[in-house]
Amino acid sequence: MLYNSIENQLIQAVMIDFSQFKSILSLTTYFNTNEKCKQAIAESRWADGDVICPYCGKHHCKTRTDGRYRCPNCRLNFSVTVGTIFENSPLPLIKWFVAMFLISCHKKGISSLQLATDIEVTQKTAWYMLMKIRSLYVQETAELEGEVELDEAYIGGKEQWKHESKKTEGTQGRSTKTKTPIFGLVERKGDVIVKVVEDTKGKTLSPIIRRFVKKGSRIFTDEYVGYHTLDKSEYKHEVVFHNEKKFVDGDAHTNTMEGFWGHFKRMICGTYHFCSSARLQMYVNEQVFRWNSREWDESERFTNMFKHCIGTFTYQDVLELVAA
């Protein structure tokens, strides 16, 4: 078998300009063959032309005449999709690319049923693809600073349309009997961080605040007692009293965080309709990505997806999510 250096191959190739993909039309027009899709993956994985073996980590793997690669150390052959979310998928890569474009660019996401129609696969396959793509959305852990708003929200647990015999008592307010609490922190004119939490007690929220908010920052909350555990020496804490129908007091308000909750709840109610508590964090991460990339254009979001797609997410991982 004859082998050529992958470095020489990439030097001769013209690097793909991802800034051109601002619509589905431009995406599908360019990626009209599986080879072009593989080229994009190779450039994303090995931008410097140094192919690394996904099995043993050896550098400078060679390319075979059939387009696959061979490791000179472990002697194993592998394709460009090994070690990515596309591994072992029988679907054409363009269908994956379109799915990634749609989920990253639609403000309220896309349901598995709609995606199945758009790319001509079964609903089960579309759901599996979406779950793998959502695995790419990992929230950044950069520290928030300056002016930071904190707030909690509760997902699920609507009782008003249930029959009286099936309603659960004591679910009003902050009860978690039928609702899942989530806690959000947003830097004004900056990023948002949202975590699914077990409860909204002070001993649960305080460690999260100390982890993600820089000491000395101004924090804005409502009057909820759970925030009173923060020491005055740590943060400049300002409160807006919602129970008194005051939602803005000077520059003290939580309207930025409330705006995020509005986007998130419209995504759940309008697109997905239902989300189990076991997989809620994945849907939260999806909307956090949209919020934090709100100043990007479509091509920038699509490029970002490629930077994160080099992570294996197998069918077994999906089965574990379903069983959770």
Side-chain angles (χ1 to χ4, degrees), residues 26-308:
S26 61
L27 183 75
T28 53
T29 299
Y30 182 88
F31 291 111
N32 52 14
T33 66
N34 229 36
E35 286 66 33
K36 284 188 177 181
C37 296
K38 289 182 178 180
Q39 179 192 352
I41 298 171
E43 290 180 2
S44 178
R45 299 188 70 175
W46 309 302
D48 59 356
D50 180 14
V51 178
I52 302 173
C53 177
Y55 300 113
C56 70
K58 175 68 176 178
H59 289 246
H60 307 297
C61 296
K62 305 297 182 178
T63 182
R64 293 162 37 115
T65 54
D66 63 358
R68 303 177 72 206
Y69 307 101
R70 185 172 179 82
C71 176
N73 182 50
C74 64
R75 313 295 290 179
L76 293 176
N77 300 325
F78 59 93
S79 71
V80 71
T81 60
V82 172
T84 72
I85 65 170
F86 316 114
E87 183 176 357
N88 294 326
S89 174
L91 296 175
L93 289 172
I94 184 56
K95 293 193 176 187
W96 278 101
F97 287 15
V98 170
M100 293 168 67
F101 190 93
L102 291 175
I103 193 174
S104 65
C105 296
H106 283 193
K107 291 184 178 180
K108 299 179 184 177
I110 182 171
S111 68
S112 58
L113 190 60
Q114 183 61 56
L115 180 62
T117 301
D118 290 345
I119 64 174
E120 297 181 345
V121 296
T122 65
Q123 183 274 333
K124 183 177 180 180
T125 297
W127 181 88
Y128 170 59
M129 294 173 71
L130 290 174
M131 292 302 289
K132 292 186 76 172
I133 293 170
R134 287 191 187 101
S135 73
L136 305 177
Y137 293 111
V138 179
Q139 292 192 46
E140 304 294 337
T141 56
E143 205 172 33
L144 306 179
E145 59 181 332
E147 298 180 334
V148 181
E149 300 175 20
L150 316 177
D151 197 26
E152 336 84 56
Y154 297 82
I155 305 301
K158 291 187 179 295
E159 298 280 315
Q160 65 182 114
W161 305 117
K162 290 185 179 180
H163 190 276
E164 288 296 330
S165 63
K166 295 184 178 180
K167 288 185 177 181
T168 304
E169 295 184 1
T171 61
Q172 296 80 9
R174 300 178 185 273
S175 169
T176 58
K177 287 183 178 180
T178 59
K179 295 176 287 189
T180 303
I182 52 179
F183 179 51
L185 313 87
V186 62
E187 180 181 315
R188 290 182 179 173
K189 299 182 180 180
D191 290 347
V192 65
I193 296 173
V194 182
K195 300 294 181 182
V196 176
V197 292
E198 184 177 348
D199 55 57
T200 56
K201 297 178 181 178
K203 63 180 181 181
T204 302
L205 302 185
S206 295
I208 300 176
I209 298 171
R210 294 187 177 102
R211 177 184 175 188
F212 293 112
V213 182
K214 186 176 182 179
K215 297 292 178 61
S217 299
R218 292 177 69 192
I219 60 172
F220 304 92
T221 72
D222 57 23
E223 67 277 15
Y224 176 47
V225 69
Y227 300 117
H228 295 176
T229 57
L230 295 172
D231 193 280
K232 293 183 179 179
S233 64
E234 297 178 283
Y235 303 100
K236 300 173 184 177
H237 186 188
E238 300 183 35
V239 179
V240 56
F241 293 90
H242 289 174
N243 59 357
E244 298 178 6
K245 304 299 181 183
K246 293 181 180 179
F247 301 100
V248 179
D249 186 3
D251 60 353
H253 62 79
T254 59
N255 293 346
T256 311
M257 198 65 235
E258 295 287 354
F260 175 86
W261 295 142
H263 283 281
F264 179 70
K265 290 179 180 180
R266 283 195 292 273
M267 180 189 77
I268 296 296
C269 297
T271 301
Y272 301 123
H273 307 304
F274 171 79
C275 175
S276 71
S277 58
R279 293 184 286 276
L280 179 58
Q281 187 66 60
M282 297 187 75
Y283 289 88
V284 167
N285 293 347
E286 177 186 337
Q287 192 60 24
V288 165
F289 170 79
R290 291 197 183 92
W291 179 275
N292 291 344
S293 63
R294 60 192 180 278
E295 302 296 332
W296 301 359
D297 62 27
E298 286 74 8
S299 63
E300 289 175 310
R301 293 193 187 94
F302 184 64
T303 303
N304 180 272
M305 291 298 298
F306 266 86
K307 291 180 180 179
H308 291 86

